[in-house]
Structure formats: structure tokens, C-alpha cells
Amino acid sequence: MTTPAKILVVDDTPQNVKLLADLLAVKGYAVVTASSGAQALEKVGKEQPDLVLLDVVMPEMSGYEVCRQIRDNPVTAMLPVVMVTALDPMQERVKGIDAGADDFLTKPINQAELLARVRSLLKIKQLHDQLTEWNQTLEQRVQAQVGQLERLARLKRFFSPQLAEMIVSGDADDPLKSHRREVTVVFLDLRGFTSFAETSEPEEVMGVLREYHAEMGRLILEHEGTLERFTGDGMMIFFNDPVPVPDAPERAVRMAVAMRQRVDELLVRWKKRGYDLDFGVGIAQGYATIGAIGFEGRLDYGAIGTVTNLAARLCGEAKPGQILVSQRVYGAVEDSVDVEELGGLALKGFSKPVPAFNVAQLRT
């Protein structure tokens, strides 16, 4: 059921108030009344009427003063006000317009004219209210979209664009909340980079890093890996978070092999420039605690656990061109790769020798 429009009738003469109130009530309007300017302003704030019929001549505060105060209040600035007077209509109309009135009626009031003007102004107010509501809704949507874009930009630092959009749209869990999951972790870096950086011009170092990061980044996105961080020539990538994948070890190994092939192409170009560089990778599988690490205004996406240390140590042990994988990774991909078994490696931070395997090639 539609709520009837509410009209405030303001007049210091009780007979006039009753006449207007009865006429409007018969037509289905809700009516509230006031007998003075001060009372009218109080009722405007309390009752929130849709339209005000305001007598001009009243003691203490005229209708013009009331109208000006209504207009000066941002909350009621657009409230329709119809001035009612028995004085010279032409002279009073100018004063009413100057005070901010929307319309003018002359006493004695013509009932048909009154109702027509009320309907017209209420229709205008309804349209204005709808427009205001639409604008507010649009503003809220814009703010929400701006928030989503900011969050999307932040997530794209860590994830592929497609994955970041899935997270923002709600199709994937928020990965920045701390959580625990089994992941396959890949560490990679360039062999000889420290020596190269110490003996080369900064522009040469930056040029190599740009080429290297661009090519590795393309392959990370292609295999839907998550870039945890990169520090100079080193990178850490993991699979199976934030979106679970059934073949995380295989994706990791296939990505590493593709990276080795691409770096081999880069090495040819770099060696022609006199750069003595090479490439090594370590891959491990296990559980890690994952989420946002840092402080307000500077957050990174991090994974913490033995699996990350193992992958890093294997990468450190890898000789130029080697991709060293842990026992668990090899067990998951043994049907699709040819490996060289290296036996147990003594790795820093691990009390026992760690079985490791060098990936020679993928099986077709």
C-alpha cells in the first residue's frame, strides 16, 4: 500500500487551517498543521512533510522568513513551499519568489486550483526524490567499483589478472587472510648475478633484469602460478593457492622447464654482450601458512613454512641449468619427467640429508 503524501498546513487562523486540512484529507493526503512560523519549522524537522502550504502574514515570524529558513537548511532546501496570502498577489508573488517559494495561492482559495498545484508540486518532488535516490545508488556503486579497482590493482601484484578478478568478484576466497594449505613452491635465480652486478654498469644490470623478469613473468602467468616475491634476480612462485589446482607439482615442473628453455635463449644473447650468467631452480612441496605480511600501506603476500626453506635450499644447491626437485615433487611427476637422482643433499637448516632429483627433460 502506497503511503499518502504528507502536507503541512501553516496558518495562524484556526478556521483557515481546518478548511485546508479537511479539503486535503478528503483527497487522501496526510495532513499536519502549525499555527506559527516557529511551530512550522519544528514540524518540518519532526514530520518531514512532502509539501508546505504556508500563510504569509503571521505574528512574530512571517511566512517569508519561514520559507527562507527552510531553503537555508540543506535537508529541506528542495521541499516544495506554496505561499498563501490575501494581500496584493503581484507584489506578494515577487516577495515569495525572492524568499524561495515554489508557487503562490491567493485567498479566498480556489479548491480546484489548490489541488492542481499540490498534485503538480508533489509529482515534481517525487521525481526529485527518485533522482536523488538514483544518484545516491550510483554514487555507492561508483565507490564500490573504485574500491574493487583498488583491491584488484593490489591483487594483480601477486596473481594473474584473471585470478585477481575472480577474487574481487567473490569467485575465490580472499587470499590475504592468513590460511594454511599444501603448496608447490618454486625458487629460481640467476647464477653469477652478484659478480655480474658488481662489475657491470647499472644500466646493463637493469637491462638484464628487465628482460629476465618480463620472460619469467609471462611464463608464471601462462602456468597460473602465484608470484610471492622477487628480489633482484631471485623469484619465489607457488602453486595451489589461492585457487586449488589438482596438478600443482606438474605445473611447477613444466613452468620451470619452460623457464630454463627461455633462459637458454637469453643466455646466448647475454654471452654475446660478455655477461657470464646462468640459471638454477629448486622445487618442493608441503604445507605453508600463507597470507598478507607487512603493515598498513605496505603489504606483501607471503608463504611461511619448511617447504619454502627447502625450495630455497634446493635452488641454492642447483648447478647452472639444473632444476632440483624434492622427493615429494618427484613422486607426483615421475611418470612425466626424466630425472637424474642425486641422492641425499646436506642442506643448511635440515638435520638429515635431503633426497633430490635433477629434472633432465619432460617426457612427450
Side-chain angles (χ1 to χ4, degrees):
M1 183 177 179
T2 304
T3 303
K6 184 183 293 185
I7 299 176
L8 172 61
V9 177
V10 186
D11 199 308
D12 61 324
T13 303
Q15 295 89 335
N16 292 340
V17 171
K18 186 176 185 308
L19 176 65
L20 291 173
D22 290 346
L23 174 61
L24 294 168
V26 168
K27 295 300 180 179
Y29 297 110
V31 181
V32 291
T33 63
S35 58
S36 68
Q39 191 180 38
L41 292 174
E42 181 183 346
K43 290 288 183 73
V44 166
K46 182 179 179 181
E47 299 288 345
Q48 299 181 352
D50 298 297
L51 183 144
V52 179
L53 288 176
L54 182 59
D55 189 28
V56 170
V57 181
M58 293 184 295
E60 297 180 4
M61 183 184 295
S62 72
Y64 300 132
E65 293 177 72
V66 175
C67 186
R68 289 191 184 95
Q69 291 197 36
I70 289 174
R71 290 290 173 257
D72 289 341
N73 185 342
V75 177
T76 58
M78 300 305 296
L79 176 63
V81 177
V82 179
M83 307 295 293
V84 182
T85 184
L87 302 176
D88 179 7
M90 292 304 298
Q91 184 178 0
E92 298 305 313
R93 185 180 297 273
V94 173
K95 293 180 181 178
I97 292 173
D98 186 57
D102 295 282
D103 211 336
F104 215 91
L105 286 172
T106 304
K107 296 179 183 178
I109 292 175
N110 181 289
Q111 294 184 9
E113 182 183 8
L114 166 67
L115 294 173
R117 292 178 186 273
V118 166
R119 285 194 298 269
S120 177
L121 287 173
L122 287 175
K123 185 176 294 184
I124 293 173
K125 182 179 184 299
Q126 183 182 27
L127 292 173
H128 174 267
D129 290 347
Q130 287 179 347
L131 182 59
T132 300
E133 183 180 350
W134 291 339
N135 285 338
Q136 290 174 344
T137 302
L138 179 60
E139 184 177 349
Q140 291 170 355
R141 288 179 178 175
V142 169
Q143 290 175 347
Q145 288 174 351
V146 169
Q148 281 193 330
L149 289 174
E150 290 175 349
R151 187 159 178 256
L152 182 61
R154 182 177 60 158
L155 291 172
K156 281 183 178 179
R157 294 175 52 203
F158 312 114
F159 313 119
S160 68
Q162 298 89 339
L163 179 53
E165 288 168 5
M166 285 176 62
I167 295 167
V168 170
S169 66
D171 293 332
D173 294 336
D174 186 350
L176 299 183
K177 293 180 180 178
S178 181
H179 57 283
R180 188 165 175 80
R181 180 170 289 170
E182 186 177 29
V183 291
T184 302
V185 180
V186 181
F187 263 89
L188 57 107
D189 65 14
L190 293 174
R191 298 295 182 264
F193 183 79
T194 300
S195 176
F196 164 68
E198 290 174 349
T199 58
S200 301
E201 295 295 334
E203 292 80 3
E204 294 179 295
V205 176
M206 293 302 293
V208 166
L209 286 178
R210 276 194 296 269
E211 289 181 294
Y212 172 65
H213 288 157
E215 295 299 332
M216 299 305 99
R218 181 178 62 79
L219 291 170
I220 292 170
L221 294 179
E222 183 179 312
H223 291 82
E224 298 182 312
T226 297
L227 176 63
E228 197 260 14
R229 67 175 179 267
F230 61 86
T231 53
D233 65 312
M235 292 187 186
M236 173 179 164
I237 304 108
F238 52 81
F239 293 83
N240 202 43
D241 189 86
V243 175
V245 293
D247 56 349
E250 184 174 347
R251 286 180 186 235
V253 171
R254 288 187 177 278
M255 180 190 73
V257 171
M259 287 177 165
R260 181 171 59 187
Q261 293 171 346
R262 186 66 187 108
V263 170
D264 284 344
E265 296 172 6
L266 292 174
L267 290 177
V268 173
R269 190 156 65 228
W270 292 343
K271 289 185 187 300
K272 289 181 180 179
R273 301 175 193 168
Y275 307 154
D276 187 15
L277 297 168
D278 217 305
F279 180 71
V281 182
I283 306 176
Q285 184 177 4
Y287 281 89
T289 299
I290 306 168
I293 300 174
F295 55 89
E296 186 64 30
R298 182 63 176 90
L299 292 175
D300 283 326
Y301 185 63
I304 299 174
T306 302
V307 63
T308 63
N309 296 333
L310 178 55
R313 298 304 181 201
L314 289 172
C315 179
E317 287 292 318
K319 296 177 181 179
Q322 283 190 332
I323 299 172
L324 301 190
V325 302
S326 68
Q327 178 75 57
R328 290 189 63 184
V329 173
Y330 174 61
V333 301
E334 60 180 334
D335 293 335
S336 58
V337 298
D338 291 327
V339 301
E340 173 192 0
E341 188 172 350
L342 303 180
L345 301 181
L347 302 179
K348 183 178 179 180
F350 292 85
S351 59
K352 298 180 180 180
V354 177
F357 305 81
N358 175 39
V359 176
Q361 63 183 7
L362 297 173
R363 294 176 184 169
T364 55

